[in-house]
Amino acid sequence: MVDIIVGILRAILFVVIAYAVVFVAALVNILFERRALAFMQDRLGPNRTGWQGVLQSIADAFKMMGKEDFRPMLADPVLFTLAPVTVMIGAVAIQLVLPYTNGLMAIDLNVGVIFLVAITSFTTLSILMGGWASRNKYSLVGALRAAAQMISYEIPMILGLLIVAMIVGSLRVEAVVAFQAGYEWIVFYAPFTFLIFYIASIAELNRGPFDLPESESELVSGYGTEYSGMRFGMFFLNEYAGMTIMSMVAVTLFFGGWMGPFAGAIEFWGVDWIGIVWFLVKTYALVFALVWIRLSLPRLQVDQLMAFAWKVLIPLGLVNILVTAAVILWVPSWKWGLAVVGWVSFLAFVALLDPLLKRRLRKQRERQPVVSA
Amino acid sequence: MYDHFETPEPDEAVKLALRRIEEATARGEGSDVDGLAFNEVVVNMGPQHPSTHGVLRLVVTLDGELVKDVIPVIGYLHRSKEKLAERRTYFQYIPIVDRTEYVASINCEWAYVMTVEKLAGMQVTRRAEFIRVITGELMRIASHLVAVGTFTADLSPLGTAMVFYMFREREIILDLMEELTGARMMFNYFRFGGVRYDLPDGWVERCRDFVKMFPAKLKEYEALVDDNAIFLQRTQGKGVITQQDVVDYGITGPNARASGVALDLRRSRPYSVYPELDFEVVTEQHGDVFDRYRVRMDEMRESLKIIEQCLDMLPDGPVQLGSLRAPYVITPPPGSAYVGQENPRGEYGTYIESDGSRYPYRLKFRDPCFCNLQLFPKLLSGNKIADAVAISGSIDLVLGGIDR
Amino acid sequence: MGLVVGSNPLSMDAVAALLVERFGADLEDVRIQEPDTVVARCAGERLKDVAARLKADADAGYETLNWIAGVDRRTSFEAVYHVYSWKTNTYLELHVELPRARPEVDSVTGVWPAADWHEREAWDMVGIVFSGHPDLRRILLKDDFVGHPLRKDYVDLAENHPHV
């Protein structure tokens, strides 16, 4: 009996914490991005509301909540309301299997790693709902495009995760974190895998150079056209929360989760409090990288985006799996073997991708006709 | 009051777009989907829009994402400058000319002042000629910075960073001009026979500092943009202006030079002291968006060369004809004159007819952007909407000149 | 190489002589305006023909139209065409006088495509009708504007300012 009550209380506590994390992360990220973007663009960001502008996001949230709440007459009533409500489910539910620190993990599913990717797909569903319910041809096209992008890039993500599972030998997230004890972070063994996973996750989030669905060339807007006020706010917050959540996933799988120097120093209520600090530090390093990448690269167009997923990332991911499997099976000291293979492929990819692209572009340029009268 | 559910009457431009769709459908080019007469949608990129540079309205006929037809609608910034000229003395009109192509207003003043000097048969002092060239080229650099910055901003967040960096350099130029003329954009600086103010102390040194500092910044911008495979893919091969277009529509300036036409009025119809200066006419061969960007970047380098030569060659002497004050009221003899000048966007000229009185009889502007905008329907059709935005940014429009 | 500026550089006198020789019947009062413009008058009825022949001329093809200005001369109207010859790198300023009562002239959009908007502006501002123009409607002013502002007898009408 007591177990049931404790179980229910734990569940409620989890839901509260998970939603709190999502909202706080979204608000923090919005401000963080605006300040970081401003810093890189040689200007200040919002720095007047509250100390250094920390209350800016909250002010924006209040503003959004104060807007008129309307629904286009012809829009599907149920789906139109449901789409913004369900969009955050992915971000919240992922936290079921993420260990914030030693002892602070909701549930240690024995298919945790697969669950991570599976639940991310939920956002795709919400975006499709939003685009369809708007009864707007262009919103639907935008939503379909976003969905196509998201499902295309889930495949490289899964391919990356499979390698993590192969290295660790288990699909449980707790096992993945435990494997990385003693600074044996998986990113040191499989940097190329991390790169593939990271690029795929940027596209999954509709961030950075892959943000065509939300910018849609400033004219025909995407799935969010007909939404206004807090309805739109939910889509918006989800994107920023996703930045943190996806970075948390990457940190857990590749960067050792909550491990770090002095982890385990302060421990009470069965929870390791230094671990949370390290978890957040690593997460926000990756979030900063996301903002930096967004700023530095022009937007990819739809055909370039899809070509990159299907013609570059997926083949490389598959080859990576084959090579990793071969190394694990047949090389005696497979950890060293993996490290060598991983770093060589990582450096080769980074060094060769740009020159190869440029060479193709140069050839195209030579074939381009010179204008004449 | 305003009935939210009432559809407004389509105006002339939209009616024209709908008529064209009907004609195309009647010709048999309608939709191949059951139940649809035609696939196209007429969308209004209204006068207020983040991507159209200025108050330009584009009535776009879209088929899915493909632009079928564009009807530009202008006149939202029409300030009846040509009519105002009939009631202002020649001298009173100088600040008004400033406000046509406001991004590089020195060049606009220059065309007007040259025309009046030709009508009245006035000479310009030598020192003033050099100062005119220096300020003109400085504003050419400033104008190209705006053009390239806003063009890259259309492509993506990368661009928004570029805009800030480029505007940072533009601030230095505007500071120099403010020291010299008292204003940051609408200078009211040129006078008939010279310029209003002489160079303040230390201005030449500060200008030289700028000239020394700027090439490194240009290299910085090129490193960010030129080397970027995504940028190259989005700009090469798009929006090609052929040489036939240049002839047919009177395209001048960087847009023409990017298509291999070496037309630069500083060389082909030299004015001021340009014959004594050594600079190249920058051309590129492909005529696409990337080449227009390259021409503007290289032209900035040429302008720096010109400025440096002028600073070296700057003679002493008065900066205005006659005594301290320029003539306030002049009455040119009856006649007409047209002088075209190399504005950063092309050939900008004024045609003035005088009837011997203090006011011009007729003043007509030849505006480069007006001519360049005529090319839009041909240039944008057949492209995806994202490309259309990039192409229109590369043409470098300033609505002040188009609408006058 | 394509389009070149000044492939047939002639002196201004030579250009004027060429124009008189080939177009003498239609161009009156050919004179030189330094440094590089020839000014001439042309009759309204002959304009389209002259324009086509000017463009097609082998030695000094006036292929580009720079601008068209409409001028109100109080007793008549005038359309000024400013055209450019790539071969000789010179300009030609054609003045076409039109009667005050019916200022109508053939459109030259068939010869110089650039004339499209320039003629629309001349119609908008001065009221010169270009017959044969594909789409002669107002360009700078609003569609239902009444009157032609650059006429000397233009009076600002109240119906143009309904919101004031």
Side-chain angles (χ1 to χ4, degrees), chain B residues 184-212:
Chain B
R184 280 163 53 89
M185 267 183 91
M186 321 297 184
F187 303 106
N188 191 13
Y189 180 55
F190 283 20
R191 297 287 181 266
F192 308 122
V195 294
R196 174 69 178 92
Y197 301 106
D198 202 346
L199 304 176
D201 289 335
W203 197 89
V204 173
E205 282 70 37
R206 278 189 283 279
C207 202
R208 275 192 215 276
D209 287 340
F210 170 74
V211 168
K212 269 201 258 307

Side-chain angles (χ1 to χ4, degrees), chain A residues 40-42 358 365 368, chain B residues 160 165 168 227 288 291:
Chain A
M40 287 187 247
Q41 289 173 354
D42 207 19
K358 290 276 181 50
R365 185 69 160 163
Q368 197 187 338
Chain B
T160 50
Y165 302 151
R168 193 183 49 193
D227 241 2
D288 58 8
D291 276 351

Side-chain angles (χ1 to χ4, degrees), chain B residues 90 330-332 354-361:
Chain B
Y90 290 88
I330 59 171
T331 53
S354 158
D355 59 356
S357 76
R358 334 154 54 191
Y359 306 131
Y361 185 78

Side-chain angles (χ1 to χ4, degrees), chain B residues 54-118:
Chain B
V55 276
L56 171 67
R57 178 171 160 217
L58 296 174
V59 178
V60 182
T61 307
L62 285 175
D63 180 2
E65 209 184 44
L66 218 60
V67 173
K68 278 284 171 69
D69 188 22
V70 171
I71 300 176
V73 180
I74 57 177
Y76 290 93
L77 198 51
H78 180 68
R79 291 154 291 173
S80 60
K81 286 187 185 300
E82 297 179 355
K83 186 72 179 177
L84 279 176
E86 299 175 7
R87 298 291 180 81
R88 301 277 184 288
T89 63
Y90 290 88
F91 184 79
Q92 283 175 323
Y93 198 67
I94 296 176
I96 301 185
V97 175
D98 257 335
R99 284 151 174 80
T100 47
E101 296 246 344
Y102 39 77
V103 183
S105 39
I106 280 280
N107 293 288
C108 307
E109 285 180 33
W110 203 348
Y112 172 72
V113 159
M114 273 203 292
T115 315
V116 175
E117 284 162 2
K118 186 170 168 192

Side-chain angles (χ1 to χ4, degrees), chain A residues 291-353:
Chain A
V291 173
W292 200 354
I293 292 173
R294 177 205 167 161
L295 176 79
S296 321
L297 296 172
R299 203 166 279 147
L300 283 177
Q301 286 191 294
V302 146
D303 49 336
Q304 297 164 346
L305 220 147
M306 300 301 267
F308 187 62
W310 290 93
K311 294 199 224 171
V312 176
L313 283 186
I314 292 183
L316 284 176
L318 289 171
V319 167
N320 197 14
I321 287 191
L322 279 176
V323 170
T324 310
V327 167
I328 294 180
L329 274 180
W330 293 320
V331 174
S333 54
W334 57 271
K335 283 194 179 175
W336 283 107
L338 272 185
V340 165
V341 164
W343 282 99
V344 164
S345 47
F346 174 73
L347 292 169
F349 182 75
V350 166
L352 290 179
L353 181 67

Side-chain angles (χ1 to χ4, degrees), chain B residues 12 16 74-75 83 86 118 243 247-248 268-269 336 338 347 351 353 361-362 364 366 374 404, chain C residues 3 33-34 36 64 66-68 70 72-73 82 89 114 121 137 139-140 143 149-152:
Chain B
E12 287 300 323
L16 177 64
I74 57 177
K83 186 72 179 177
E86 299 175 7
K118 186 170 168 192
Q243 292 190 348
V247 170
D248 281 343
S268 66
R269 194 188 198 190
S336 67
Y338 168 75
E347 176 180 342
Y351 169 73
E353 283 194 19
Y361 185 78
R362 171 77 165 104
K364 157 99 182 128
R366 192 271 185 210
Q374 273 197 74
R404 284 158 265 144
Chain C
L3 196 56
Q33 195 181 70
E34 290 303 330
D36 54 5
T64 296
N66 242 352
W67 46 266
I68 301 178
D72 180 353
R73 294 235 181 272
H82 197 256
N89 192 20
E121 192 190 334
R137 57 189 163 91
I139 188 168
L140 291 177
D143 293 324
L150 257 80
R151 292 195 176 182
K152 296 295 177 185

